[in-house]
């Protein structure tokens, strides 16, 4: 059994090393932290809360929980085209969380720090009688007035997505034992999403609208504030998702509507289409054109036989 | 009974009005928010989590909970000498929280926005199976490289505090029914602390060290990283605290060590003493000189009879 550390020892030993590269974090010893941007930049801030039993399983590996916590926030920065810089962490730990747990959690944070060049800037640690509750705020930089927005798509724009759709939602079903995937791929996509940071930055000045898909492709499409036609056969699926869909066509609803994709949904003008391939190559991220923005305010799902899908599942709501 | 609002309606109707004055909040409709500072400034960020049953009573008035949530964070900005600008809110609501509750909570936020010239920038709303959990991050501005720090006090510096000490901790005892205060003053100090924003800004370039007192005067003094002598009879008490202490001298431990003061503890060079009165007047905040930093690393509490208090209660720890 590990020695119990008090609040201040825990912060000094387990968290302060994560803040070493952020001079303005003052080793987490002050009332606040300080940071700044260059004159031609702005700060993008985003924040998300993950709760045990709601957004992840309390028994998940703390390393994975840390990866997901940072990934979902970095995915929001990616959606705005921002370059990630810092984050703050509010951790509310139940009594049964051990120092070993926190130590492994910190290793997951360190892994993401290394991968995305970010550092911890500050935070707050509390005990809770409730479930483990983790709020993280991520800070990134964009060139002034260039941040990607959700609401700029116009009629005729191409609808694009990164990566593959539905893996996260299928992975959740695997985690629950409702689906089988011996490859482990779907579960890894659910547990450790990849924020599309490089792609987001490449889309600045190019995408007319951009957002990340966290609540399912169809539900999130509504937030673009316009209608469109999406070609069902153009929606990119992983081999594993395809295999599951071949066995059970009803899983299309999980894929389109299940959440946890953390891919980018964006629109571009038709004339920008030729550069997509270069961007995909440079960012090592597949990009698929899946449809087009229409004058109509509705979304139509076009099936390969030319008919429109009659039942469009409604978007995921947190509550 | 109020109509149940979904996540997006709740944000649009109850929260978005709080973000109206922050252009970069994009009406809370985007993946993140954007803000910036002038070239000669830096951003100060601080964050605190308050949990029902831990930091406040679940039955407290939601207006008061909102006031306290912003106050404890603004108090950290005050301690760094920052001018408050924006905040983000992560609210995890249990099932029994109604729209009326959230509406009153939003009124408390609006009250503090008006009072301190700040606006909501973004956030995240989730449901939790646990207690109401509120994380707030506050953003302020300071002139570059001028933020007040905890660690600059030197031997001979005067130890100062704002306002009166112990009211919050005594107010908590009133709230629990363990003490009586018919005036309601102590309870109000516990429920609705006043962050010393104007004072913090006035101390820039003057204070050699500054922090806010959230965990009790004695416990927090340790975070200054030096020793000192504090004159017990110089510690400023409210008439109500004095009255309680007169009846029960043991309450001195509550006063010195109980937390929830949200006053500023700061040090100045002896030669700056003459300006304290002007600052106190300009900021409409009493300031008391309660002691002096010493060469020793220990803290001594000097009693009026010249003896040193033998039992120094140890600082409050969250866990």
């Amino acid at each position: 059994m590990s020695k119990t550390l008090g609040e201040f020892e825990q912060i000094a030993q387990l968290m302060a090393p994560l803040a070493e590269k952020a001079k303005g974090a003052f080793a987490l010893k002050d009332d606040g932290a300080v940071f700044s941007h260059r004159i031609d930049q702005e700060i993008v801030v985003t924040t998300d809360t993950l709760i045990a039993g709601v957004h992840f399983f309390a028994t998940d590996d703390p390393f994975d929980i840390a990866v997901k916590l940072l990934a979902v926030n970095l995915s929001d920065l990616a959606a705005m085209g921002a370059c990630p810089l810092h984050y703050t962490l509010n951790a509310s730990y139940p009594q049964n969380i051990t120092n070993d747990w926190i130590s492994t959690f910190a290793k997951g944070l360190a892994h993401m720090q290394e991968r995305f060049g970010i550092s911890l800037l500050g935070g707050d640690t509390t005990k809770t009688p409730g479930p483990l509750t983790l709020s993280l705020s991520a800070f990134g930089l964009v060139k002034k007035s260039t941040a990607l927005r959700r609401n700029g798509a116009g009629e005729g724009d191409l609808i694009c997505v990164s990566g593959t759709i539905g893996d996260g939602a299928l992975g959740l079903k695997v985690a629950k034992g409702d689906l089988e995937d011996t490859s482990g791929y779907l579960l890894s996509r659910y547990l450790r999403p990849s924020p599309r940071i490089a792609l987001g930055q490449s889309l600045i000045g190019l995408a007319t609208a951009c957002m990340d898909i966290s609540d399912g492709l169809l539900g999130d499409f509504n937030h673009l504030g316009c209608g469109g036609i999406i070609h069902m056969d153009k929606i990119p699926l992983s081999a594993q998702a395809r295999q599951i869909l071949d066995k059970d066509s009803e899983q299309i609803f999980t894929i389109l509507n299940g959440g946890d994709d953390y891919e980018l949904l964006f629109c571009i003008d038709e004339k920008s289409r030729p550069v997509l391939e270069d961007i995909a190559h440079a960012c090592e991220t597949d990009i698929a054109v899946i449809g087009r923005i229409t004058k109509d305010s509705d979304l139509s799902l076009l099936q390969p036989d030319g008919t429109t899908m009659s039942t469009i599942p409604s978007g995921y709501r947190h509550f």
Side-chain angles (χ1 to χ4, degrees), chain A residues 293-313:
Chain A
I293 299 296
T294 57
K295 213 173 173 175
D296 274 2
S297 61
D298 294 333
L299 172 66
S300 299
L301 291 179
L302 209 63
Q303 305 202 86
D305 64 5
T307 62
T308 300
M309 198 169 166
S310 55
T311 313
I312 296 185

Side-chain angles (χ1 to χ4, degrees), chain A residues 6 79 92-93 143 162 197 214 242 301 317:
Chain A
S92 299
Y93 297 120
K143 208 178 144 196
S162 64
I197 291 292
S214 54
R242 174 75 57 202
L301 291 179
R317 302 245 161 164

Side-chain angles (χ1 to χ4, degrees), chain A residues 88-110:
Chain A
T88 57
L89 171 68
N90 298 61
S92 299
Y93 297 120
Q95 288 296 339
N96 65 352
I97 292 283
T98 62
N99 290 322
D100 285 348
W101 193 100
I102 298 171
S103 175
T104 308
F105 177 71
K107 285 190 183 111
L109 296 175

Side-chain angles (χ1 to χ4, degrees), chain A residues 1 17 76 122 131 165 174 194 214 252 258 261 267 279 303 312:
Chain A
M1 254 177 66
D76 284 321
I165 300 298
V174 172
S194 280
S214 54
I252 189 66
D261 284 313
C267 298
I279 288 176
Q303 305 202 86
I312 296 185

